Amino acid sequence: MMTVPSPTPSVVPHRWQRWAVAVGVIVLAALPAVLRYLVFWPLDQWQVDVDVYRQAGVSVLYGRPIYSAMTEAPQLLPFTYPPFAAFLAVPLALVPFGVAGWLWTAAQVAATTAIVWYAGYRLIHRAGAWSALALAGLTAPMLWLHPVGDGIRFGQVNAFIVLLCLVDLVEPRPRWLARVPRGVLIGIATAVKLTPGVFVVHLLVTRRWREAATAVGTAVGVSLAAWVLLPQASFAYWGGALQDPARLGPNAGTANQSMRGFLLRMGADGSGGTLLWLALVVVVGVLGFGLARRFHRAGDPVGEVAVVGLLACLVSPVAWVHHYHWVVVVVLALLGDRPEESPRRLWSAVGVTVFFTMRLPWWGIDWLAHGGWPELPGRVLQNADVAGGLAALFLLWWAVRPGEGQGLPTVNASAGARHPA
């Protein structure tokens, strides 16, 4: 009688091996941006925003005026953040500029990976023992999004802002935040960069009074502490620098992908343009906050963060391209935890990823530089991220309509659960 050999059991690599491979995949995915912007980029344009933050830290240490100091020529950029952010920049002043730039880039990649981990937690953990590779597979294309790439190019802070707001609202609650009241991290993010204050509006719309009060109290508390320690800088910022939009750069430039930036490029300036912008802010704000409330009621905090993050870009007077780091959360919100059961969600996520991988606003600049070419296509490309942000809001609404695909996960499904990290 012939004996049939028993099947060889599959061998699963050790946990550390799986995580080592995942880290390697993420590093390789980040390599194109790192090589382009840190190795081959012109030195006079190298990590210019890290230089801004670092100079603010130097100003704190040496007692020089924070808001009159500029980075070196040819950039000559001022510090545009609240005084509390200058305190956080002090560690950058303790290391050489080159070291600070490389460390900041590594931290941005790590923060983006963490955003994917928390926003895609349920989807990632469906992979079981292979969750580390699932994380790497989802993170890699997020590092190729052009807002993320521009964040690496300039050395921006947006990855950390997105992460703070996300982990403050995400369910299940991370273990390391078990004793931190909800709203604290949103308050800190708002004290660093004012635009996350839209999350306070969202908390009020959804009647989470305690979380809203905590966020406001935290932001005010750390800002008052900064005022006590840096009174002159605080007066200079809150009493003048904050009201000067020119400090942020040319508001009508292509890099400003807010609705106001679009209107300025279309020639809608002056009081008439301001009124039109305010009307658009009201319309988009009402619809957007209503959609975010819908996500909240359905128990999907990732969807909440995605919608409110997009609103922060669209309704703000100034939203540079790299502010759209929120697109990482948008993609994960569209995917949900079972994208294979909802083609609409899957293809919406793929479409947003592909759209924001292309550097369309900069293509528009190149198009408009050719004087003989038709102007309209160039203008459309130049404002692509504004259109993309509005389209992403529509897709989030489209993906969560009752009866469409998998619907939304409920909080009850993970009641009492906590993230392992």
Side-chain angles (χ1 to χ4, degrees):
M1 178 186 283
M2 240 169 90
T3 56
V4 179
S6 59
T8 304
S10 59
V11 178
V12 178
H14 290 292
R15 187 171 184 268
W16 71 266
Q17 292 173 317
R18 299 193 298 271
W19 277 102
V21 172
V23 170
V25 170
I26 293 170
V27 169
L28 286 175
L31 201 56
V34 170
L35 287 176
R36 181 179 183 185
Y37 295 128
L38 276 83
V39 177
F40 300 115
W41 205 243
L43 289 179
D44 63 347
Q45 302 173 34
W46 196 84
Q47 297 291 285
V48 293
D49 285 329
V50 170
D51 194 16
V52 170
Y53 308 149
R54 185 173 177 276
Q55 290 303 318
V58 171
S59 296
V60 172
L61 292 177
Y62 287 91
R64 71 184 184 188
I66 295 175
Y67 294 100
S68 59
M70 298 277 189
T71 59
E72 293 183 2
Q75 299 300 329
L76 298 174
L77 297 174
F79 186 68
T80 60
Y81 297 84
F84 174 67
F87 274 111
L88 300 184
V90 167
L92 295 175
L94 302 178
V95 297
F97 175 45
V99 174
W102 280 94
L103 291 177
W104 194 264
T105 299
Q108 282 194 81
V109 173
T112 302
T113 304
I115 292 168
V116 175
W117 173 262
Y118 288 114
Y121 181 76
R122 291 183 176 90
L123 176 60
I124 290 168
H125 281 75
R126 286 183 58 204
W130 299 97
S131 59
L133 293 181
L135 170 65
L138 289 170
T139 301
M142 299 300 98
L143 293 172
W144 302 332
L145 299 175
H146 83 91
V148 176
D150 271 17
I152 293 174
R153 169 188 173 186
F154 294 108
Q156 257 292 327
V157 72
N158 299 289
F160 312 112
I161 297 295
V162 173
L163 181 59
L164 285 172
C165 295
L166 176 66
V167 297
D168 211 2
L169 293 180
V170 77
E171 288 283 358
R173 188 81 165 159
R175 286 187 300 182
W176 58 276
L177 284 176
R179 298 183 181 275
V180 179
R182 289 189 187 276
V184 168
L185 298 185
I186 290 174
I188 291 174
T190 303
V192 170
K193 190 170 187 173
L194 300 179
T195 51
V198 295
F199 280 89
V200 176
V201 178
H202 169 62
L203 292 173
L204 294 173
V205 169
T206 53
R207 298 177 180 273
R208 286 179 279 184
W209 315 118
R210 178 178 296 178
E211 290 89 339
T214 301
V216 172
T218 301
V220 171
V222 297
S223 298
L224 288 176
W227 195 301
V228 170
L229 296 172
L230 292 172
Q232 292 182 338
S234 297
F235 182 78
Y237 179 78
W238 298 107
L242 177 60
Q243 287 79 37
D244 182 9
R247 289 178 61 88
L248 300 174
N251 289 194
T254 301
N256 182 9
Q257 290 291 312
S258 68
M259 293 190 297
R260 178 172 173 268
F262 163 73
L263 291 175
L264 290 174
R265 286 188 290 276
M266 295 299 102
D269 53 4
S271 57
T274 300
L275 289 174
L276 178 57
W277 169 61
L278 291 175
L280 288 174
V281 167
V282 170
V283 172
V284 173
V286 168
L287 294 175
F289 284 118
L291 178 58
R293 181 175 59 183
R294 185 174 178 177
F295 272 106
H296 169 65
R297 289 177 173 176
D300 187 353
V302 178
E304 288 182 71
V305 174
V307 172
V308 180
L310 287 173
L311 288 178
C313 296
L314 292 168
V315 306
S316 173
V318 176
W320 305 129
V321 167
H322 44 71
H323 289 186
Y324 279 84
H325 208 107
W326 300 100
V327 172
V328 177
V329 184
V330 172
V331 172
L332 274 301
L334 286 169
L335 281 175
D337 59 343
R338 296 185 178 275
E340 73 280 2
E341 296 180 3
S342 175
R344 282 189 172 185
R345 297 185 74 131
L346 177 60
W347 287 110
S348 294
V350 171
V352 170
T353 302
V354 172
F355 183 90
F356 278 96
T357 298
M358 298 182 290
R359 301 176 59 81
L360 297 180
W362 309 127
W363 296 0
I365 288 292
D366 293 338
W367 182 288
L368 294 171
H370 293 80
W373 291 10
E375 183 178 352
L376 180 60
R379 292 298 180 190
V380 172
L381 290 171
Q382 187 185 30
N383 296 288
D385 283 0
V386 184
L390 292 169
L393 280 179
F394 169 79
L395 290 175
L396 285 164
W397 167 81
W398 189 54
V400 302
R401 284 189 296 169
E404 296 295 343
Q406 69 191 44
L408 293 173
T410 61
V411 175
N412 292 334
S414 59
R418 293 191 184 277
H419 282 296

